[in-house]
Amino acid sequence: MTRPLAPANGLRLVLASTSTYRRQLLERLGIPFTVAASNVDEEPLPGESAVDLVQRLARAKAEAVARRHTNSLIVGSDQLALCGRDVLGKPGSGDRAIAQLKSLSSQRVVFHTAVHVINTATNGNEGHVDLTNVHFRSLTEDEIKRYVMRDKPYDCAGGFKVETLGITLFNRIESQDPTALIGLPLIWLAGALRRNGFDLP
């Protein structure tokens, strides 16, 4: 990705993630940015809560990339999905996605999505966590198989893509920011960008 020219505030925008979904979300805001891998160890600490984990990792990712970029605003993010006390990973295959969705039928899943920004020109930083409650309806095995075959949600925590056909799997979704469920809370992030001198919209 070509390094964009700095905007009027003199800062370059850098996404500390190689996630396709986060990149597509950030592109919605129309600000040129670059992408940088953070290579942060994502193992939880002993006894660490879901909220503490995602906050720590979002900040750690931003900090790791910030060390390599001057005059930049770095955006780090992390997400964790919980059904009860069970952490939901990415299924990785069709069979695992089917099994995961079977276990989530009629269940509630809570997505914790954290974002952290660091201004390397001022050393200023701030963070935010968004909680999204996803209520699955009662799903039949045939419905699940048809969904997985069409959407192939193998790289998505919970085994669904809410932005496409996955929206048919739920009774309701409770959230302050619908983009948080996809991986990056744009409402809060847009405010953080404005506070750091970026013009939006």
Side-chain angles (χ1 to χ4, degrees), residues 33-50:
F33 65 94
T34 55
V35 170
S38 62
N39 301 316
V40 165
D41 181 358
E42 299 190 17
E43 281 297 310
L45 300 176
E48 191 172 31
S49 70

Side-chain angles (χ1 to χ4, degrees), residues 131-176:
L131 298 183
T132 302
N133 289 286
V134 175
H135 298 262
F136 282 82
R137 62 183 179 82
S138 178
L139 302 171
T140 68
E141 186 169 348
D142 283 345
E143 285 176 323
I144 291 170
K145 287 180 177 177
R146 284 199 306 271
Y147 167 69
V148 170
M149 182 176 65
R150 288 183 58 182
D151 233 9
K152 298 179 173 54
Y154 311 146
D155 61 346
C156 302
F160 65 87
K161 296 181 182 181
V162 69
E163 65 274 27
T164 52
L165 191 59
I167 197 68
T168 65
L169 304 175
F170 316 121
N171 281 323
R172 67 185 186 277
I173 296 173
E174 300 161 348
S175 176
Q176 294 182 334

Side-chain angles (χ1 to χ4, degrees), residues 95-159:
D95 288 342
R96 287 189 189 134
I98 290 168
Q100 190 171 69
L101 288 172
K102 281 183 182 179
S103 72
L104 297 179
S105 178
S106 300
Q107 299 297 309
R108 177 176 69 103
V109 177
V110 181
F111 284 78
H112 301 71
T113 309
V115 60
H116 199 93
V117 298
I118 296 176
N119 186 324
T120 62
T122 65
N123 292 321
N125 72 89
E126 56 181 315
H128 168 76
V129 177
D130 186 280
L131 298 183
T132 302
N133 289 286
V134 175
H135 298 262
F136 282 82
R137 62 183 179 82
S138 178
L139 302 171
T140 68
E141 186 169 348
D142 283 345
E143 285 176 323
I144 291 170
K145 287 180 177 177
R146 284 199 306 271
Y147 167 69
V148 170
M149 182 176 65
R150 288 183 58 182
D151 233 9
K152 298 179 173 54
Y154 311 146
D155 61 346
C156 302

